[in-house]
């Protein structure tokens, strides 16, 4: 492949090359995310070692889900009221202290799960407060035309973290104990702290904005009202919910691994990893995304592709073919995420970006869990095949209707972003 063509196909790294503040922030987030995934694996292993129960391991996710949803919205409002750099520093520092607390619990051999649950819940609060502030910084660090590449790079670092973090967590726990994973997480957070410390002040508000508006205390309700009156931004969330609620097959992987493929827990692991691999591949070969201006139409196509890939996965009984279509779904989800986040960052005013990123966090966290409930319920009432295939087809129908009724979204042009 010629070098020029290869450079147009592979991930665009110009935001890293041309913008030092973004480069430091991206690297810091990438390193700290690997540490967070290591900690998540170590906590799950430690809870299971204490209780011997998968139910108690499942409660770890519940302990983080509620704070993420509640404080995601609140954190977005705070990010629109204060210096985002300072908020990022404070919340990242809190998360660092909490990882150190997990290490202390492990070193002292505390054989109780409630300290772990408490710390995990507090970590979720820190993450929910930190994420909207960090995400709303990006449009201040980069010109609009670099945002698709920046979001693709964020997806790339997330994919690496999701694959490498749990693996490294298991390795470190196996060789040196739970405290090793937690202490490495503490060290990893320093990269994120250093990156934010080097940033300039990030007070919300566009240059030349109304000073009286800047003095008003932002509220969650105000942000939701703004979103309700902006059809293009609102549709970015609705389209993601169409994919994640209607066509989310992951809760069925333990059942279909044996029923469809005659496999065991290793097969479940392969099924769970396939979408992440596809997402990572999509991020690596994301150079073309920056040249797409019809971003709303691209979201519709990507979500429809997710539904189609999930539906075909439900029909196949060949494991390699099934893994391929799950990877294809993960790749489509990356494309959708890149453009949806880019639209939020470019079409919304700066003093609303924190709250919209808070809603984004809630949708990303809550949507797949609603999808788990729906898929599990349909599978029990009918069959796993009906749940997976029907969910994929329902996603295609829903996104087609969205495209038909939301004409402005279908014609959204990045060169003239309209919320």
């Amino acid at each position: 492949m010629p070098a020029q063509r290869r450079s147009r196909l592979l991930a665009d790294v110009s935001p890293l090359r041309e913008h030092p503040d973004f480069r430091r922030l991206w690297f810091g987030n990438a390193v700290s995310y690997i540490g967070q995934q290591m900690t998540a694996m170590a906590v799950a292993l430690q809870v299971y070692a204490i209780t011997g129960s998968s139910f108690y391991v499942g409660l770890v996710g519940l302990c983080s889900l509620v704070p993420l949803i509640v404080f995601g919205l609140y954190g977005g409002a705070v990010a629109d009221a204060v210096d985002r750099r300072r908020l990022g520093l404070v919340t990242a520092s809190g998360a660092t202290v909490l990882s150190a607390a997990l290490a202390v619990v492990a070193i002292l051999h505390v054989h109780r799960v409630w300290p772990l649950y408490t710390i995990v819940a507090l970590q979720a609060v820190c993450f929910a407060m930190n994420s909207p502030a960090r995400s709303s910084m990006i449009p201040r660090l980069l010109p609009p035309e670099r945002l698709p590449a920046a979001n693709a790079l964020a997806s790339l670092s997330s994919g690496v973290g999701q694959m490498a973090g749990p693996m490294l967590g298991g390795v470190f726990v196996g060789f040196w104990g739970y405290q090793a994973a937690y202490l490495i997480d503490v060290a990893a957070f320093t990269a994120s702290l250093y990156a934010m410390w080097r940033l300039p002040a990030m007070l919300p508000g566009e240059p030349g904005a109304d000073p009286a508006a800047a003095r008003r205390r932002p509220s969650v309700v105000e942000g939701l009202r703004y979103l309700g009156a902006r059809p293009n931004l609102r549709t970015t969330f609705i389209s993601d919910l169409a994919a994640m609620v209607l066509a989310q097959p992951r809760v069925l992987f333990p059942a279909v691994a044996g029923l469809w493929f005659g496999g065991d827990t290793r097969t479940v692991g392969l099924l769970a990893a396939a979408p992440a691999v596809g997402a990572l591949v999509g991020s690596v070969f994301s150079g073309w995304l920056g040249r797409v201006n019809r971003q709303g139409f691209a979201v519709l196509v990507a979500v429809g592709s997710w539904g189609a890939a999930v539906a075909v996965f439900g029909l196949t009984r060949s494991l390699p073919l099934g893994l391929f279509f799950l990877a294809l779904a993960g790749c489509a989800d990356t494309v959708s995420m890149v453009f949806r986040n880019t639209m939020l960052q470019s079409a919304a005013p700066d003093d609303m970006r924190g709250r919209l990123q808070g809603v984004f966090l809630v949708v990303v966290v809550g949507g797949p869990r609603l999808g788990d409930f729906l898929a599990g319920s349909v599978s029990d009432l009918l069959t796993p095949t009906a749940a997976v295939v029907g969910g994929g087809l329902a996603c295609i129908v829903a996104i087609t209707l969205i495209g038909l009724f939301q004409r402005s979204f279908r014609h959204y042009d990045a060169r003239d972003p309209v919320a």
Side-chain angles (χ1 to χ4, degrees), residues 207-225:
D210 179 11
R215 287 194 296 271
R216 288 199 300 266
R217 184 175 182 82
S219 70
V220 173
V221 173
E222 183 185 14
L224 294 176
R225 285 175 179 165

Side-chain angles (χ1 to χ4, degrees), residues 90-417:
V90 170
T91 52
S93 298
T96 305
V97 171
L98 290 167
S99 291
L102 285 172
V104 171
V105 169
I107 291 170
L108 296 178
H109 301 289
V110 177
H111 291 284
R112 298 286 187 275
V113 293
W114 68 263
L116 300 176
Y117 289 157
T118 302
I119 294 172
V120 165
L122 292 174
Q123 283 183 321
V125 171
C126 289
F127 179 80
M129 298 290 288
N130 180 278
S131 182
R134 188 178 64 244
S135 298
S136 56
M137 292 177 187
I138 304 302
R140 300 276 289 270
L141 301 176
L142 298 170
E145 64 271 14
R146 295 302 189 202
L147 291 177
N151 288 315
L153 289 169
S155 177
L156 177 62
S157 65
S158 176
V160 171
Q162 288 174 0
M163 288 195 297
M167 179 186 66
L168 292 174
V171 169
F172 282 112
V173 167
F175 280 100
W176 298 288
Y178 306 107
Q179 64 270 18
Y182 300 142
L183 290 173
I184 291 173
D185 189 18
V186 171
F189 266 117
T190 61
S192 180
L193 288 169
Y194 173 75
M196 289 192 184
W197 179 71
R198 290 288 304 273
L199 291 176
M202 287 279 177
L203 293 169
E206 305 282 3
D210 179 11
R215 287 194 296 271
R216 288 199 300 266
R217 184 175 182 82
S219 70
V220 173
V221 173
E222 183 185 14
L224 294 176
R225 285 175 179 165
Y226 173 86
L227 182 60
R230 302 302 189 278
N232 288 336
L233 296 184
R234 185 175 65 244
T235 305
T236 64
F237 296 109
I238 296 173
S239 61
D240 186 50
L241 288 173
M244 293 298 104
V245 176
L246 298 176
Q248 177 56 263
R250 65 183 185 183
V251 73
L252 303 177
F253 288 163
V256 304
L259 290 173
W260 295 357
F261 306 117
D264 52 18
T265 55
R266 290 171 292 184
T267 306
V268 177
L270 290 174
L271 295 174
V277 172
L280 182 61
V281 172
S283 301
V284 170
F285 295 98
S286 61
W288 59 276
L289 298 181
R291 298 188 291 277
V292 175
N293 292 316
R294 294 281 300 280
Q295 294 177 350
F297 184 74
V299 170
L300 297 174
V301 172
V303 173
S305 300
W306 162 277
V310 169
V312 176
F313 164 73
L315 295 173
T316 185
R317 295 300 178 265
S318 164
L319 181 58
L321 201 57
L323 294 175
F324 170 78
F325 282 106
L326 285 176
L328 193 62
C331 184
D333 186 49
T334 291
V335 174
S336 169
M337 184 280 298
V338 167
F339 287 128
R340 286 185 292 107
N341 215 352
T342 300
M343 293 172 71
L344 284 179
Q345 293 168 339
S346 57
D350 187 73
D351 60 357
M352 280 289 174
R353 285 174 182 150
R355 278 165 285 185
L356 293 181
Q357 289 294 338
V359 176
F360 185 87
L361 176 64
V362 170
V363 169
V364 168
V365 169
R369 286 164 175 81
L370 288 175
D372 290 343
F373 175 76
L374 179 61
S377 300
V378 174
S379 177
D380 284 349
L381 288 173
L382 300 173
T383 64
T385 300
V388 177
V389 176
L393 295 177
C395 173
I396 295 172
V397 171
I399 202 64
T400 301
L401 292 174
I402 290 171
L404 290 174
F405 286 101
Q406 295 294 335
R407 184 175 180 275
S408 63
F409 186 80
R410 190 171 72 245
H411 294 287
Y412 178 93
D413 194 321
R415 292 165 294 191
D416 182 27

Side-chain angles (χ1 to χ4, degrees), residues 59-82:
L59 287 180
V60 175
L62 185 62
C63 288
S64 63
L65 174 62
V66 175
L68 282 172
I69 291 176
V70 174
F71 285 92
L73 294 174
Y74 177 70
V78 173
D80 284 338
V82 303

